Amino acid sequence: MHLMKDMGWLEVICGSMYSGKSEELIRRVKRAKIGRLKVQVFKPRLDDRFNKVNVVTHNGDQTDAVAVVDSGVLFSLVEDDTEVVAIDEAQFFDNGLVDVCRRLADKGKRVIVAGLDLDFRGQPFGPTPALMAMAEYVDKLQAICIKCGNPANRTQRLVNGQPAKATEPTIMVGASESYEARCRRCHEVPR
Ligand SMILES: [Zn+2]
């Protein structure tokens, strides 16, 4: 990453589940804090339980975050002297997140967004694709296909161990289901 002075920008970290997006987001947040920059971290609030949460990765790494109900609330909570805004799980936000990130970068802030670029059907997911188009930097991370060991950029949803049908809803909070990283060849979406 080139060092840019006196300007903001947008960087996107995307990929399937288990591709290390949150680990990479946390790594960048930690480095910004080492550099004594003021950082705020946000994630979408998918239920009513907590405001203060952590971004926790599959390997247990974590950082403090604030859970917000939508992109408008996120924008209102960003403080004037904040230099770095990090946002995890971008795919669960409303499409207003795209304009919010543009405005924050225009105001001179470094905006780091992590999210799934594809849903379980292999289709563009929420605001992530538009954010990728607008970003100065995009890192598209690959997981490893659990079936064949190739690089994986798809997320396989399983319900009772069977591939989920394309007609099922995109977001199922709290449902009894599981996910795997799979490659193009091994990804299954029954019609
Ligand atoms: Zn595969």
Side-chain angles (χ1 to χ4, degrees):
M1 177 116 7
H2 301 285
L3 180 63
M4 296 194 279
K5 286 175 68 79
D6 304 323
M7 64 174 281
W9 67 88
L10 173 60
E11 52 197 87
V12 172
I13 306 159
C14 63
S16 67
M17 283 180 71
Y18 310 109
S19 64
K21 299 183 300 298
S22 294
E23 284 92 337
E24 179 59 22
L25 183 83
I26 289 172
R27 191 184 75 89
R28 294 184 193 183
V29 165
K30 283 184 171 171
R31 289 167 62 87
K33 287 179 175 173
I34 289 168
R36 299 178 188 279
L37 297 173
K38 179 168 174 179
V39 183
Q40 285 184 269
V41 183
F42 297 97
K43 62 184 290 185
R45 183 167 154 184
L46 299 176
D47 55 45
D48 290 333
R49 283 177 297 179
F50 300 110
N51 264 327
K52 288 269 186 191
V53 295
N54 294 322
V55 172
V56 181
T57 69
H58 298 294
N59 66 21
D61 216 359
Q62 64 178 58
T63 189
D64 291 337
V66 175
V68 291
V69 290
D70 61 29
S71 62
V73 172
L74 189 160
F75 188 78
S76 71
L77 291 175
V78 176
E79 292 163 19
D80 283 345
D81 59 347
T82 291
E83 295 158 295
V84 178
V85 178
I87 303 165
D88 198 21
E89 305 277 17
Q91 75 279 353
F92 290 139
F93 276 96
D94 54 286
N95 286 327
L97 186 68
V98 179
D99 200 48
V100 162
C101 289
R102 180 189 60 75
R103 288 162 72 189
L104 292 171
D106 285 351
K107 286 169 71 161
K109 301 184 193 306
R110 174 186 174 192
V111 183
I112 312 169
V113 178
L116 292 166
D117 49 351
L118 300 175
D119 65 18
F120 76 94
R121 303 177 194 89
Q123 297 297 314
F125 200 166
T128 314
L131 289 164
M132 291 165 70
M134 298 209 354
E136 275 84 354
Y137 304 101
V138 177
D139 286 291
K140 193 157 169 156
L141 306 183
Q142 304 272 338
I144 298 297
C145 177
I146 206 159
K147 287 280 197 187
C148 74
N150 274 314
N153 79 325
R154 309 291 179 95
T155 300
Q156 178 71 52
R157 177 193 276 169
L158 300 169
V159 178
N160 299 324
Q162 296 301 314
K165 295 185 178 68
T167 50
E168 292 183 16
T170 301
I171 300 170
M172 297 169 76
V173 177
S176 62
E177 55 185 350
S178 60
Y179 293 91
E180 294 176 347
R182 292 199 190 178
C183 72
R184 176 187 299 277
R185 197 180 54 176
C186 299
H187 187 241
E188 297 174 79
V189 187
R191 299 283 161 186

